[in-house]
Amino acid sequence: MRRWWLTLFPLPKPCCFCTTPVRSFAFSSVWKQMCLSCQEQFFPINGPVCQVCGRPMTEEDLSVCIDCRQLDSSTWVTNRSVVLYKGQAKKVIQWFKYQGLERLAIPLGLWMAESCYHYYRRVPLSLITFVPLHPNRLHERGFNQAELLAQVISQRLGLPVKEILVRERETFSQSHRSRKERLQALQHVFKVSNRIDPGWLRQQHILIVDDVYTTGSTLRECARPLRQANVRQIFSVTFAR
Amino acid sequence: MEVDEVNREDHLSKRCEGMQRPLVLFSLGMILGIWLANGLDQSSLFYLGLGTPIFLFILLFYFRKGRGYFLLIGCLGFLLGAVRYAYADEGNQSTLDTILNTQDSVLYVVQGEVKTVPILKGSRSTFDLKVKQIQVGSKRWAIPEETIRVSLYLNTHEDEKKLRTVERGTHIMVPLTLEKPVSARNPGGFDYRAFLHKESIHWLGKGVRFHELKIESSSNHPLKWLDRLRTKLAVRLEHHYEEPYAGLLRGMLLGERQAIDPELEEDYSLLGLTHILSISGLHVGIIVGCFYSLFIRLGLTREKAAGCILLFLPMYVCLTGAEAPVIRSAIMTGMVLVAMIFRYYQDILSFLAFSFVIQCAWNPYYLFDVGFQLTYLITAALVMGVRPIAEKMSLSSEWIKQSLAVTLIAHMVSFPMIIYYFSSFSLLSFLANLLLVPFFGLIIPLAMGGIVVEWMSSTIGSMIAQVVSMILAITTKGIEWLVSMSWAHLSWARPSVLWLILYGTITIYLWIAWIGDVFYQRVHRWIASTGFIILIGYAYFSPLWPKETRLTFLDVGQGDAIVIETAGGKVIVVDGGGQIGLEERGRKKQRRLDMGKRVLVPYLTYRGIRQIDELVLTHGDLDHIGGIQTLVERFPVKRVIRNPHLPHGETEQKLMDELMKRGVPVYAASAGKIEELENGMRWQFLHPDPHRLLGESNQTNNDSVVFLLSIYQFQVLMTGDMEAPAEQMILTKWKLPPIDILKVAHHGSDTSTTTAWLKELQPREAVISVGMKNRYGHPSPHVLERLNEHRIRVWRTDQHGAITIIFKPEQYQVESMLGSNK
């Protein structure tokens, strides 16, 4: 009986990240399509952020955070992130990346697209690309999480997505290394794919997509070959940081 | 690349999940099916034969690929809707059509079973009768399945007593004349025949001899006790409240719409408050809410309280007359209660769709009923729209937010329907609803409680009645005040279907732009709002744009009412009166029908006319000015032209006072005056000459205002009621050009339209504004003969209904509502 009832009078769509039904509209923001308990366990980055790396800031007078100041300003990549990498965000990234819950790319990507719209609305972005995986790793995982996110974002923002960067050598998990090691391990790992027309690339305003921002070194390394190729502008977006 | 494809599909399916409700999809399919079946007019087998293979194909596709579920459901709904409608339409035929002749007025003895409780209004009682047998002389026909609507006139108190024994299910025998319901006789008029067709009624039975009604066997209808209860409650209301409040409450609480004072009802509908008068979600909600909290107070569990209410709901529906809106809200409420009892999920939108499917399957004609359309459309919009819109408002009070959102949405949705069906939408409707609906939220439970409490203590009962009367008095004052602002009650021309579709799209877009989290929201909001305003503006201004000149002789029965709409947007009304011939005979209390209210105002409203530039009153007889009072109250008039006589009679005096009060300039027509109305159009007054009046003060036919209207190259002569002497005077005084269209004077009386007159004017068309079966014998056969001799095409409002002549610079074209002229 209950089954029949639920066929005729179905429950609303479940929350993006769990199974709780949520009354919402398809044209509502991802946040509104989430259940209250998930909302509680996410920590969205609102308010003032570091103008470079997108870290949430307490003092409004500083526009660039301490970490970014220590870096050479020529390597700065403007980045924005959606949520803090803790609580539900950490779990969701786990499910998405390591347990192969590919469908999570949709709410995550849509949410990121909303942030892109919020921060980069006035920027003439022309192209979306993503942090590449080494072919071995891609084979192992079956998909590139950044690529999936980039595809969802591109659909939502109406921008083309293109694989521009390739990873030259395999690096091992960043998480087991110290800060200095991480910075060094990545040096010159990425280069521009030789299938890309450099003249065309020079015209682009590029958005790089990744899932998590830790120190920003990955994104800076990604930006390096692009800068050398003289692209117009480089931005990046990550889901969590 | 493969990843990309899969991902995209996944994404898309995710987006569609909002449409997961199968019943909503099913009912959308059903709407389409019924609508199409109504347009195509094919047999049910046709749809079954065509639809089943398509359905099976989709079914196969669904089982093979696991996709197309929604298509499947929608298609099933479509198929069911089309077949159900076609089946119903096939069965909706009249057996009486094969037996009876439309023209004769033979008295048939009709035997049958009463199907509805007789409604008494004035001295006329109306009910539906399921005919078993009809008989005339020795001829007898058994009728298998046909319902007619019967009107019987009561004469004495004995009759009234007898009427009370006629109940649902009573078998009666009564002599009746049988006739077809009339179709619309005026543009934009009410098509009673089409209306009754949708109720499967094809014949009207009329009887004046109530004493000859014989009751063959009394009722054994299972619901007759409810009818009796309803009558009893109505009597109690009558006892406690004065008119018009008693009638109003009978309508609001018991669903007796006919008990409501028509004038009051009109005021309500003018202000868009009709939904209060018909029992609907508001009432059911209030009652269920009251009972529920009462039961919880009494210590019942929620489930038991819900169960008790569920048992009593059908009774309430039957008690209040089981109209479409109350059935809708009862089914929805019932589903909510069932869900409460079993602790199931409540999806209100699906419940709405569920009751839609049930109602349409029960009677597919419902889909074309205005009340039905309004109740479903508004409820659907409210269910979806209120919460998000209320959330968007930055107001502190939750209650104010809610009622603002409800009123806003209800207006946005009902606006196109109201102007489509009723051509009139008041700017004050929003305000009226916002201010007055809360009062009715108070009145309804109070008045109901009063009636219930009365059983226990009649003092408390009448105290409550006094309080309710007071609140009603306040609201009525408020309504009168709002109604008096006639500038705000605008006429809107009937919009096209394309406009309706555009309106629907833009409204949804506007809603999404407002409450959705879309990118470039400001741009979307701006575009949507602009589009919306343009659409409203178009609807408002389109009737003012240049079009062709139209001259319409309205069918007002015995009398004249002529409307001229010029290409430049000017409106000239010549006379407005008349009465229906049939109503005249055999009644002790003769009530003159206000043709201003019944025909003239509705026509002007239908045409989107908002003011009258020239009002010509040819002379003061009632069949020419009887409806002008209503007209003047409803529309601003710029100038009145009449003959120079002093007003005679009460009606004319009252009218002149009203004109004076409103400051309308009144001129006496003076023969010889020529005025240019606009480019290509002028009029010349030929009669009367103020210095040589022909008539007495109470007999002014021969001083009717006569004018010659030149439209492009065509000549129209308006004659009022002038007779031979006036014709003679005009002929001697003026050299007239050949006339294209002649209004035959004095409804075709033999005293006018002389041979000399016709010989001189040589008209091509003659229009006679005359009532069917009038007591004066107009038009005179001699006049018809004279017209015929001069080979003039004759148009008669009694035969052709309203006659419209459309002028273009190079030709004119005559159209009539009922059939064409040979």
Side-chain angles (χ1 to χ4, degrees), chain A residues 1-2 5 7 9-13 25-29 32 117 155 157, chain B residues 8 11 15 17 22-23 335 342-345 350-351 384 517 519-520:
Chain A
M1 180 68 185
R2 186 174 286 269
W5 186 275
T7 324
F9 312 109
L11 292 172
K13 212 162 53 161
F25 296 105
F27 43 79
S28 293
S29 60
K32 283 187 196 153
Y117 172 73
Q155 213 174 27
L157 294 181
Chain B
R8 198 154 288 186
H11 190 165
R15 292 254 116 186
E17 264 176 76
L23 279 170
M335 295 304 285
F342 296 103
R343 303 191 182 185
Y344 289 160
Y345 175 69
S350 289
F351 291 167
M384 288 198 290
D517 302 286
F519 292 169
Y520 305 104

mmCIF file of all heavy atoms in Angstrom, chain A residues 1-2 5 7 9-13 25-29 32 117 155 157, chain B residues 8 11 15 17 22-23 335 342-345 350-351 384 517 519-520:
data_model
loop_
_atom_site.group_PDB
_atom_site.id
_atom_site.type_symbol
_atom_site.label_atom_id
_atom_site.label_comp_id
_atom_site.label_asym_id
_atom_site.label_seq_id
_atom_site.Cartn_x
_atom_site.Cartn_y
_atom_site.Cartn_z
ATOM 1 N N MET A 1 0.833 -1.207 0.000
ATOM 2 C CA MET A 1 0.000 0.000 0.000
ATOM 3 C C MET A 1 0.868 1.258 0.000
ATOM 4 O O MET A 1 0.692 2.156 -0.816
ATOM 5 C CB MET A 1 -0.894 -0.040 1.247
ATOM 6 C CG MET A 1 -1.822 1.157 1.369
ATOM 7 S SD MET A 1 -3.101 1.202 0.097
ATOM 8 C CE MET A 1 -3.865 2.765 0.464
ATOM 9 N N ARG A 2 1.820 1.279 0.898
ATOM 10 C CA ARG A 2 2.715 2.430 0.978
ATOM 11 C C ARG A 2 3.469 2.604 -0.337
ATOM 12 O O ARG A 2 3.699 3.720 -0.800
ATOM 13 C CB ARG A 2 3.694 2.237 2.131
ATOM 14 C CG ARG A 2 4.596 3.445 2.404
ATOM 15 C CD ARG A 2 5.420 3.220 3.639
ATOM 16 N NE ARG A 2 4.619 3.330 4.849
ATOM 17 C CZ ARG A 2 4.451 4.479 5.513
ATOM 18 N NH1 ARG A 2 5.004 5.585 5.084
ATOM 19 N NH2 ARG A 2 3.711 4.522 6.599
ATOM 20 N N TRP A 5 1.191 4.128 -2.845
ATOM 21 C CA TRP A 5 1.039 5.541 -2.496
ATOM 22 C C TRP A 5 2.224 6.346 -2.991
ATOM 23 O O TRP A 5 2.075 7.404 -3.605
ATOM 24 C CB TRP A 5 0.884 5.668 -0.977
ATOM 25 C CG TRP A 5 0.584 7.073 -0.538
ATOM 26 C CD1 TRP A 5 1.489 8.053 -0.309
ATOM 27 C CD2 TRP A 5 -0.693 7.638 -0.301
ATOM 28 N NE1 TRP A 5 0.851 9.206 0.069
ATOM 29 C CE2 TRP A 5 -0.499 8.973 0.092
ATOM 30 C CE3 TRP A 5 -1.998 7.141 -0.361
ATOM 31 C CZ2 TRP A 5 -1.552 9.819 0.406
ATOM 32 C CZ3 TRP A 5 -3.046 7.995 -0.035
ATOM 33 C CH2 TRP A 5 -2.812 9.311 0.336
ATOM 34 N N THR A 7 4.228 5.619 -5.362
ATOM 35 C CA THR A 7 4.314 5.693 -6.819
ATOM 36 C C THR A 7 3.419 6.818 -7.322
ATOM 37 O O THR A 7 3.801 7.579 -8.208
ATOM 38 C CB THR A 7 3.843 4.372 -7.451
ATOM 39 O OG1 THR A 7 4.259 3.303 -6.615
ATOM 40 C CG2 THR A 7 4.401 4.204 -8.835
ATOM 41 N N PHE A 9 2.048 9.334 -5.413
ATOM 42 C CA PHE A 9 2.355 10.621 -4.777
ATOM 43 C C PHE A 9 3.800 10.603 -4.310
ATOM 44 O O PHE A 9 4.070 10.422 -3.119
ATOM 45 C CB PHE A 9 1.399 10.861 -3.598
ATOM 46 C CG PHE A 9 -0.027 10.622 -3.942
ATOM 47 C CD1 PHE A 9 -0.710 9.522 -3.452
ATOM 48 C CD2 PHE A 9 -0.700 11.486 -4.788
ATOM 49 C CE1 PHE A 9 -2.032 9.298 -3.782
ATOM 50 C CE2 PHE A 9 -2.027 11.267 -5.125
ATOM 51 C CZ PHE A 9 -2.688 10.168 -4.620
ATOM 52 N N PRO A 10 4.723 10.734 -5.241
ATOM 53 C CA PRO A 10 6.123 10.476 -4.893
ATOM 54 C C PRO A 10 6.712 11.512 -3.958
ATOM 55 O O PRO A 10 6.259 12.662 -3.908
ATOM 56 C CB PRO A 10 6.820 10.516 -6.248
ATOM 57 C CG PRO A 10 5.958 11.361 -7.089
ATOM 58 C CD PRO A 10 4.560 11.163 -6.617
ATOM 59 N N LEU A 11 7.730 11.069 -3.246
ATOM 60 C CA LEU A 11 8.488 11.977 -2.391
ATOM 61 C C LEU A 11 9.228 12.970 -3.267
ATOM 62 O O LEU A 11 9.520 12.688 -4.422
ATOM 63 C CB LEU A 11 9.504 11.189 -1.584
ATOM 64 C CG LEU A 11 8.942 10.255 -0.519
ATOM 65 C CD1 LEU A 11 10.061 9.399 0.044
ATOM 66 C CD2 LEU A 11 8.294 11.063 0.585
ATOM 67 N N PRO A 12 9.563 14.113 -2.731
ATOM 68 C CA PRO A 12 10.375 15.050 -3.509
ATOM 69 C C PRO A 12 11.755 14.467 -3.753
ATOM 70 O O PRO A 12 12.144 13.479 -3.136
ATOM 71 C CB PRO A 12 10.464 16.285 -2.624
ATOM 72 C CG PRO A 12 9.528 16.086 -1.515
ATOM 73 C CD PRO A 12 9.230 14.644 -1.407
ATOM 74 N N LYS A 13 12.459 15.129 -4.634
ATOM 75 C CA LYS A 13 13.823 14.754 -4.964
ATOM 76 C C LYS A 13 14.664 14.708 -3.679
ATOM 77 O O LYS A 13 14.515 15.557 -2.810
ATOM 78 C CB LYS A 13 14.371 15.851 -5.867
ATOM 79 C CG LYS A 13 15.340 15.413 -6.873
ATOM 80 C CD LYS A 13 15.456 16.453 -7.954
ATOM 81 C CE LYS A 13 15.757 17.854 -7.425
ATOM 82 N NZ LYS A 13 16.282 18.728 -8.462
ATOM 83 N N PHE A 25 13.045 23.395 -6.173
ATOM 84 C CA PHE A 25 12.813 23.489 -7.601
ATOM 85 C C PHE A 25 14.111 23.222 -8.335
ATOM 86 O O PHE A 25 15.195 23.440 -7.799
ATOM 87 C CB PHE A 25 12.298 24.872 -7.967
ATOM 88 C CG PHE A 25 10.968 25.178 -7.369
ATOM 89 C CD1 PHE A 25 10.856 26.039 -6.294
ATOM 90 C CD2 PHE A 25 9.817 24.592 -7.876
ATOM 91 C CE1 PHE A 25 9.621 26.322 -5.750
ATOM 92 C CE2 PHE A 25 8.588 24.863 -7.328
ATOM 93 C CZ PHE A 25 8.489 25.728 -6.261
ATOM 94 N N ALA A 26 13.975 22.770 -9.572
ATOM 95 C CA ALA A 26 15.163 22.485 -10.379
ATOM 96 C C ALA A 26 15.975 23.756 -10.592
ATOM 97 O O ALA A 26 17.177 23.693 -10.806
ATOM 98 C CB ALA A 26 14.744 21.886 -11.708
ATOM 99 N N PHE A 27 15.294 24.911 -10.538
ATOM 100 C CA PHE A 27 16.014 26.151 -10.796
ATOM 101 C C PHE A 27 16.461 26.847 -9.518
ATOM 102 O O PHE A 27 16.832 28.006 -9.544
ATOM 103 C CB PHE A 27 15.153 27.093 -11.646
ATOM 104 C CG PHE A 27 13.727 27.168 -11.227
ATOM 105 C CD1 PHE A 27 13.369 27.938 -10.143
ATOM 106 C CD2 PHE A 27 12.748 26.450 -11.897
ATOM 107 C CE1 PHE A 27 12.054 28.002 -9.734
ATOM 108 C CE2 PHE A 27 11.432 26.506 -11.495
ATOM 109 C CZ PHE A 27 11.084 27.283 -10.407
ATOM 110 N N SER A 28 16.388 26.121 -8.388
ATOM 111 C CA SER A 28 16.916 26.686 -7.155
ATOM 112 C C SER A 28 18.422 26.430 -7.087
ATOM 113 O O SER A 28 18.933 25.562 -7.783
ATOM 114 C CB SER A 28 16.253 26.038 -5.944
ATOM 115 O OG SER A 28 14.902 26.388 -5.896
ATOM 116 N N SER A 29 19.091 27.170 -6.210
ATOM 117 C CA SER A 29 20.526 26.961 -6.056
ATOM 118 C C SER A 29 20.776 25.606 -5.398
ATOM 119 O O SER A 29 19.879 25.031 -4.784
ATOM 120 C CB SER A 29 21.114 28.069 -5.196
ATOM 121 O OG SER A 29 20.513 28.053 -3.931
ATOM 122 N N LYS A 32 19.885 25.330 -1.783
ATOM 123 C CA LYS A 32 18.464 25.145 -1.439
ATOM 124 C C LYS A 32 17.992 23.735 -1.750
ATOM 125 O O LYS A 32 16.923 23.338 -1.298
ATOM 126 C CB LYS A 32 17.607 26.142 -2.208
ATOM 127 C CG LYS A 32 17.668 27.523 -1.614
ATOM 128 C CD LYS A 32 16.688 28.429 -2.304
ATOM 129 C CE LYS A 32 16.988 29.878 -2.000
ATOM 130 N NZ LYS A 32 16.541 30.760 -3.071
ATOM 131 N N TYR A 117 30.045 32.108 -11.074
ATOM 132 C CA TYR A 117 29.189 33.210 -11.488
ATOM 133 C C TYR A 117 29.319 34.347 -10.494
ATOM 134 O O TYR A 117 29.413 35.521 -10.859
ATOM 135 C CB TYR A 117 27.740 32.735 -11.572
ATOM 136 C CG TYR A 117 26.787 33.868 -11.817
ATOM 137 C CD1 TYR A 117 26.726 34.489 -13.063
ATOM 138 C CD2 TYR A 117 25.962 34.337 -10.806
ATOM 139 C CE1 TYR A 117 25.872 35.538 -13.285
ATOM 140 C CE2 TYR A 117 25.096 35.389 -11.027
ATOM 141 C CZ TYR A 117 25.061 35.989 -12.267
ATOM 142 O OH TYR A 117 24.216 37.045 -12.490
ATOM 143 N N GLN A 155 28.899 23.236 -18.797
ATOM 144 C CA GLN A 155 27.521 23.189 -19.258
ATOM 145 C C GLN A 155 26.690 24.301 -18.610
ATOM 146 O O GLN A 155 25.890 24.960 -19.265
ATOM 147 C CB GLN A 155 26.922 21.840 -18.900
ATOM 148 C CG GLN A 155 25.921 21.375 -19.905
ATOM 149 C CD GLN A 155 25.453 19.971 -19.615
ATOM 150 O OE1 GLN A 155 25.472 19.521 -18.472
ATOM 151 N NE2 GLN A 155 25.033 19.282 -20.636
ATOM 152 N N LEU A 157 27.798 27.130 -17.275
ATOM 153 C CA LEU A 157 28.226 28.489 -17.619
ATOM 154 C C LEU A 157 28.183 28.743 -19.120
ATOM 155 O O LEU A 157 28.339 29.870 -19.560
ATOM 156 C CB LEU A 157 29.642 28.746 -17.111
ATOM 157 C CG LEU A 157 29.851 28.776 -15.597
ATOM 158 C CD1 LEU A 157 31.302 29.063 -15.281
ATOM 159 C CD2 LEU A 157 28.971 29.812 -14.929
ATOM 160 N N ARG B 8 26.437 13.651 -19.462
ATOM 161 C CA ARG B 8 25.457 14.619 -19.911
ATOM 162 C C ARG B 8 24.040 14.070 -19.709
ATOM 163 O O ARG B 8 23.153 14.749 -19.252
ATOM 164 C CB ARG B 8 25.701 14.933 -21.380
ATOM 165 C CG ARG B 8 25.043 16.194 -21.807
ATOM 166 C CD ARG B 8 25.758 16.808 -22.964
ATOM 167 N NE ARG B 8 27.039 17.387 -22.569
ATOM 168 C CZ ARG B 8 27.795 18.084 -23.406
ATOM 169 N NH1 ARG B 8 27.430 18.244 -24.646
ATOM 170 N NH2 ARG B 8 28.936 18.593 -23.008
ATOM 171 N N HIS B 11 23.066 14.038 -16.172
ATOM 172 C CA HIS B 11 22.768 15.411 -15.802
ATOM 173 C C HIS B 11 21.341 15.779 -16.205
ATOM 174 O O HIS B 11 20.563 16.288 -15.422
ATOM 175 C CB HIS B 11 23.770 16.310 -16.522
ATOM 176 C CG HIS B 11 23.718 17.726 -16.054
ATOM 177 N ND1 HIS B 11 24.702 18.611 -16.333
ATOM 178 C CD2 HIS B 11 22.799 18.396 -15.343
ATOM 179 C CE1 HIS B 11 24.402 19.774 -15.798
ATOM 180 N NE2 HIS B 11 23.236 19.666 -15.195
ATOM 181 N N ARG B 15 17.829 16.816 -14.092
ATOM 182 C CA ARG B 15 17.079 18.065 -14.240
ATOM 183 C C ARG B 15 15.581 17.816 -14.351
ATOM 184 O O ARG B 15 14.774 18.634 -13.977
ATOM 185 C CB ARG B 15 17.536 18.797 -15.508
ATOM 186 C CG ARG B 15 18.940 19.326 -15.416
ATOM 187 C CD ARG B 15 18.927 20.789 -15.240
ATOM 188 N NE ARG B 15 19.500 21.123 -13.943
ATOM 189 C CZ ARG B 15 19.512 22.356 -13.459
ATOM 190 N NH1 ARG B 15 18.992 23.330 -14.129
ATOM 191 N NH2 ARG B 15 20.021 22.606 -12.285
ATOM 192 N N GLU B 17 13.815 15.650 -12.906
ATOM 193 C CA GLU B 17 13.192 14.980 -11.784
ATOM 194 C C GLU B 17 12.085 15.791 -11.135
ATOM 195 O O GLU B 17 11.258 15.242 -10.428
ATOM 196 C CB GLU B 17 14.245 14.604 -10.739
ATOM 197 C CG GLU B 17 14.701 13.173 -10.912
ATOM 198 C CD GLU B 17 15.799 12.839 -9.948
ATOM 199 O OE1 GLU B 17 15.493 12.642 -8.774
ATOM 200 O OE2 GLU B 17 16.965 12.784 -10.364
ATOM 201 N N PRO B 22 3.766 11.399 -11.419
ATOM 202 C CA PRO B 22 3.068 10.780 -12.548
ATOM 203 C C PRO B 22 1.653 11.317 -12.741
ATOM 204 O O PRO B 22 1.207 11.482 -13.873
ATOM 205 C CB PRO B 22 3.051 9.293 -12.182
ATOM 206 C CG PRO B 22 3.306 9.234 -10.723
ATOM 207 C CD PRO B 22 4.118 10.433 -10.373
ATOM 208 N N LEU B 23 0.984 11.624 -11.650
ATOM 209 C CA LEU B 23 -0.404 12.072 -11.799
ATOM 210 C C LEU B 23 -0.493 13.448 -12.448
ATOM 211 O O LEU B 23 -1.424 13.722 -13.191
ATOM 212 C CB LEU B 23 -1.093 12.097 -10.431
ATOM 213 C CG LEU B 23 -1.581 10.740 -9.958
ATOM 214 C CD1 LEU B 23 -2.033 10.810 -8.516
ATOM 215 C CD2 LEU B 23 -2.720 10.248 -10.827
ATOM 216 N N MET B 335 -7.573 13.381 0.689
ATOM 217 C CA MET B 335 -6.273 12.716 0.502
ATOM 218 C C MET B 335 -5.304 13.105 1.619
ATOM 219 O O MET B 335 -4.554 12.266 2.116
ATOM 220 C CB MET B 335 -5.679 13.089 -0.861
ATOM 221 C CG MET B 335 -6.460 12.605 -2.047
ATOM 222 S SD MET B 335 -6.726 10.842 -2.045
ATOM 223 C CE MET B 335 -5.101 10.280 -2.509
ATOM 224 N N PHE B 342 -2.652 7.249 7.796
ATOM 225 C CA PHE B 342 -1.672 6.178 7.590
ATOM 226 C C PHE B 342 -0.232 6.666 7.661
ATOM 227 O O PHE B 342 0.691 5.919 7.432
ATOM 228 C CB PHE B 342 -1.918 5.500 6.237
ATOM 229 C CG PHE B 342 -3.238 4.803 6.172
ATOM 230 C CD1 PHE B 342 -4.303 5.349 5.492
ATOM 231 C CD2 PHE B 342 -3.413 3.580 6.824
ATOM 232 C CE1 PHE B 342 -5.528 4.700 5.441
ATOM 233 C CE2 PHE B 342 -4.635 2.925 6.775
ATOM 234 C CZ PHE B 342 -5.692 3.493 6.090
ATOM 235 N N ARG B 343 -0.084 7.925 7.955
ATOM 236 C CA ARG B 343 1.234 8.555 8.013
ATOM 237 C C ARG B 343 2.008 8.374 6.706
ATOM 238 O O ARG B 343 3.145 7.925 6.681
ATOM 239 C CB ARG B 343 2.049 7.994 9.172
ATOM 240 C CG ARG B 343 1.302 8.190 10.446
ATOM 241 C CD ARG B 343 2.148 7.895 11.605
ATOM 242 N NE ARG B 343 1.335 8.065 12.807
ATOM 243 C CZ ARG B 343 1.809 7.974 14.015
ATOM 244 N NH1 ARG B 343 3.087 7.733 14.195
ATOM 245 N NH2 ARG B 343 1.036 8.140 15.037
ATOM 246 N N TYR B 344 1.326 8.704 5.632
ATOM 247 C CA TYR B 344 1.970 8.683 4.334
ATOM 248 C C TYR B 344 2.425 10.092 4.011
ATOM 249 O O TYR B 344 2.003 11.060 4.628
ATOM 250 C CB TYR B 344 0.991 8.232 3.245
ATOM 251 C CG TYR B 344 0.636 6.776 3.303
ATOM 252 C CD1 TYR B 344 -0.510 6.319 2.671
ATOM 253 C CD2 TYR B 344 1.444 5.867 3.972
ATOM 254 C CE1 TYR B 344 -0.852 4.978 2.708
ATOM 255 C CE2 TYR B 344 1.113 4.531 4.011
ATOM 256 C CZ TYR B 344 -0.044 4.092 3.383
ATOM 257 O OH TYR B 344 -0.367 2.786 3.421
ATOM 258 N N TYR B 345 3.232 10.137 2.959
ATOM 259 C CA TYR B 345 3.719 11.434 2.521
ATOM 260 C C TYR B 345 2.587 12.220 1.830
ATOM 261 O O TYR B 345 1.794 11.660 1.091
ATOM 262 C CB TYR B 345 4.894 11.254 1.577
ATOM 263 C CG TYR B 345 5.360 12.552 0.988
ATOM 264 C CD1 TYR B 345 5.991 13.495 1.798
ATOM 265 C CD2 TYR B 345 5.132 12.856 -0.341
ATOM 266 C CE1 TYR B 345 6.384 14.694 1.277
ATOM 267 C CE2 TYR B 345 5.532 14.057 -0.865
ATOM 268 C CZ TYR B 345 6.153 14.981 -0.050
ATOM 269 O OH TYR B 345 6.535 16.170 -0.564
ATOM 270 N N SER B 350 0.226 16.530 -6.345
ATOM 271 C CA SER B 350 -0.270 15.258 -6.868
ATOM 272 C C SER B 350 -1.709 15.009 -6.426
ATOM 273 O O SER B 350 -2.492 14.430 -7.177
ATOM 274 C CB SER B 350 0.607 14.102 -6.393
ATOM 275 O OG SER B 350 1.849 14.135 -7.027
ATOM 276 N N PHE B 351 -2.046 15.442 -5.232
ATOM 277 C CA PHE B 351 -3.432 15.309 -4.775
ATOM 278 C C PHE B 351 -4.355 16.117 -5.694
ATOM 279 O O PHE B 351 -5.440 15.668 -6.055
ATOM 280 C CB PHE B 351 -3.596 15.808 -3.335
ATOM 281 C CG PHE B 351 -2.934 14.935 -2.309
ATOM 282 C CD1 PHE B 351 -2.759 15.376 -1.009
ATOM 283 C CD2 PHE B 351 -2.491 13.659 -2.633
ATOM 284 C CE1 PHE B 351 -2.159 14.584 -0.059
ATOM 285 C CE2 PHE B 351 -1.887 12.855 -1.691
ATOM 286 C CZ PHE B 351 -1.714 13.317 -0.405
ATOM 287 N N MET B 384 2.228 25.640 -5.795
ATOM 288 C CA MET B 384 3.631 25.739 -6.189
ATOM 289 C C MET B 384 4.263 27.061 -5.785
ATOM 290 O O MET B 384 5.424 27.113 -5.424
ATOM 291 C CB MET B 384 3.756 25.561 -7.705
ATOM 292 C CG MET B 384 3.502 24.142 -8.128
ATOM 293 S SD MET B 384 4.148 23.825 -9.757
ATOM 294 C CE MET B 384 3.043 24.776 -10.746
ATOM 295 N N ASP B 517 17.216 30.679 -8.572
ATOM 296 C CA ASP B 517 18.567 31.220 -8.465
ATOM 297 C C ASP B 517 19.206 31.078 -9.828
ATOM 298 O O ASP B 517 19.984 30.177 -10.064
ATOM 299 C CB ASP B 517 19.338 30.451 -7.406
ATOM 300 C CG ASP B 517 18.633 30.536 -6.069
ATOM 301 O OD1 ASP B 517 18.686 31.580 -5.447
ATOM 302 O OD2 ASP B 517 17.996 29.540 -5.680
ATOM 303 N N PHE B 519 21.354 32.538 -13.159
ATOM 304 C CA PHE B 519 22.428 33.483 -13.453
ATOM 305 C C PHE B 519 21.829 34.692 -14.163
ATOM 306 O O PHE B 519 20.824 34.577 -14.837
ATOM 307 C CB PHE B 519 23.484 32.828 -14.341
ATOM 308 C CG PHE B 519 24.238 31.732 -13.625
ATOM 309 C CD1 PHE B 519 25.075 30.882 -14.325
ATOM 310 C CD2 PHE B 519 24.107 31.545 -12.252
ATOM 311 C CE1 PHE B 519 25.779 29.879 -13.671
ATOM 312 C CE2 PHE B 519 24.794 30.550 -11.593
ATOM 313 C CZ PHE B 519 25.637 29.709 -12.315
ATOM 314 N N TYR B 520 22.487 35.797 -14.041
ATOM 315 C CA TYR B 520 22.021 37.056 -14.620
ATOM 316 C C TYR B 520 20.572 37.321 -14.228
ATOM 317 O O TYR B 520 19.724 37.652 -15.033
ATOM 318 C CB TYR B 520 22.160 37.040 -16.150
ATOM 319 C CG TYR B 520 23.566 36.736 -16.557
ATOM 320 C CD1 TYR B 520 23.922 35.486 -17.038
ATOM 321 C CD2 TYR B 520 24.566 37.700 -16.411
ATOM 322 C CE1 TYR B 520 25.231 35.194 -17.363
ATOM 323 C CE2 TYR B 520 25.877 37.414 -16.740
ATOM 324 C CZ TYR B 520 26.210 36.161 -17.211
ATOM 325 O OH TYR B 520 27.506 35.874 -17.534
#
